[in-house]
Amino acid sequence: MNSAYLTTTTDAIDPVFMFIFGASLVLLVGITAAMVFFVVRYHRSRAPEPTSRAAGNLWLEIVWSVLPTLLVLAMFYYGWAGYLALRNVPTGAMEVTATASMWSWSFAYPNGKTSAKLYVPVNRPVRVELVSRDVIHGFYLPAFRVKRDVVPGMRNHAWFVATGPGSYDLFCSQYCGTGHSAMITTVEALPEAEFGAWLERKAAGEEPAGHELLEKHGCLGCHSLDGRPGIGPTFKGIWGRSTTVMSNGRERRITVDEAYLRRSLLEPNADVVKGFQPIMPPFAGVLKEGEIKAIIGYLRSGGIASPKLDGRKLAQEKGCLVCHSLDGSRGVGPTFKGLFGARVTVLKGRAKSTVTADEGYLRESIRQPGAAVVEGFQPVMPADPGLSDDEVTALVEFIEGLR
Ligand code: HEC
Ligand code: HEC
Ligand SMILES: [Cu+2]
């Protein structure tokens, strides 16, 4: 053990756990064995008459009162000592503030740097101040036996020390809404020198870059950068995208530009993207002007704009062409040739209807093949093989081009 601290949180918890577990195991086995023995030994067929008429036994009473009392007192003592070890942070601990918000973590270091993963030096205790921006979350580090609620409006803390370099899971242990299960990050324990270098990279006070701001403010808990659908729309290719929004209950189409992005950040509920819940928190008063500019700049930059996807290649790669031909011939599924704009008879359950194969129809056929099945074909098309929105768009555009 290192001399910088007396004990680790794991050292404080594991012996208590093993002691209580061991005592419970001994009692479980002992009591069950005695019970089985008595059932057999004193079965009515073996002992038709009561064998003992003892009215009391002082020694027995003393033993079965004193032993359990000592046992539970020992459990209490160990438990209390372990609890104190968890609450008393060793001196010289590094301070980090963990901010939980729906549905991500952000960690702030003494020099002002922030990160989405919790970076710590190996063999140095870390004191974590726990702050919630909205609802109750739970700061849970199974590897270090640390679990503490993060309650809005309440000061709380936890500490731990990583005794070896590595990556350890960090979970939210309180159900906090739709994105709860995605509220996962890691503790990255680095050797002291490497940690120092990491901490100094990008000196404090500098305007943090767009990506770091998205991490710091928890945007990435609801918005993906790679096109995956999330709680909010993906940021991939957002600049210049045309989107349907609900403004005051009216639907309208807009093109994403600077003014729209600014309004989305400051008053997210003014324009709510169709198909999403109005649950994005407003960032007016939270984001500084420079930060808003940096975020807009980042969303605008080519860094996350999607490269144009090749629909034909995609159809090949995703196996669509195994069942769908491009030359008008019938396969396991209808041909893609001339499909766009054609009239198609589909069965929804038993109900038959004729629809025009427009963009929306194609999209739905790809996303939910079972919902409407083309007449004359078996419902064997596999459900969505994990296509991103952009990939579906590219496929639809490819089919449109085969008129
Ligand atoms: C709790 C989840 C959540 C968080 C955190 C969140 N958003 Fe959102 N955001 C949403 C949802 C849901 C929508 C869609 C509904 C709407 O428009 O209000 C949205 C919409 C948007 C839009 C409009 C998107 C479009 O396609 O038109 C932008 C831009 C945006 N968010 C940026 C951000 C930024 C930047 C942050 C961090 C500073 C952030 N959001 C944090 C949930 C979230
Ligand atoms: C295992 C074979 C199979 C694969 C693989 C498959 N499909 Fe299909 N698909 C079908 C069948 C059968 C139908 C007709 C029955 C139905 O509507 O479910 C169909 C229907 C469709 C329709 C509606 C066609 C119409 O005439 O109205 C579209 C669009 C479509 N598929 C696109 C795709 C795309 C894009 C892919 C690749 C991501 C794909 N399919 C992969 C078998 C398949
Ligand atoms: Cu949570």
Side-chain angles (χ1 to χ4, degrees), residues 13 25 46 105 126 240 302 349 373 394:
I13 295 299
L25 194 68
R46 286 209 179 76
W105 296 97
V126 181
V373 178

Side-chain angles (χ1 to χ4, degrees), residues 345-353 355 361 364 370-375:
T345 305
V346 293
L347 295 162
K348 297 191 175 183
R350 290 252 177 73
K352 200 193 266 196
S353 59
V355 296
Y361 167 79
E364 187 166 323
V373 178
V374 183
E375 193 183 28

Side-chain angles (χ1 to χ4, degrees), residues 209-215 219-220 222-226 233-241 256-266 280 283 287 290-306:
H211 185 266
E212 277 172 50
L213 285 168
L214 298 185
E215 282 189 341
C219 320
L220 300 182
C222 297
H223 297 279
S224 79
L225 293 175
D226 60 2
T234 182
F235 284 154
K236 187 171 166 187
I238 185 171
W239 184 262
R241 181 157 77 195
V256 175
D257 58 9
E258 182 164 348
Y260 170 76
L261 287 180
R262 184 175 284 272
R263 200 163 57 242
S264 294
L265 290 177
L266 301 180
M280 172 162 160
F283 285 89
L287 292 172
E291 293 183 316
I292 296 175
K293 286 226 170 76
I295 289 178
I296 293 177
Y298 183 70
L299 294 179
R300 174 183 206 158
S301 75
I304 52 173
S306 50

Side-chain angles (χ1 to χ4, degrees), residues 23-40:
S24 308
L25 194 68
V26 167
L27 289 177
L28 173 75
V29 172
I31 292 172
T32 309
M35 201 171 69
V36 171
F37 172 76
F38 284 135
V39 165
V40 175

Side-chain angles (χ1 to χ4, degrees), residues 17 30 54 91 106 177 266 278 280 282:
F17 177 81
T91 48
S106 165
L266 301 180
M280 172 162 160

Side-chain angles (χ1 to χ4, degrees), residues 100-103 105 135-138 172-177 180 183:
S101 58
M102 290 151 103
W103 292 280
W105 296 97
V135 300
I136 300 182
H137 300 276
C172 172
S173 58
Q174 288 290 350
Y175 180 69
C176 53
H180 166 68
M183 222 175 135

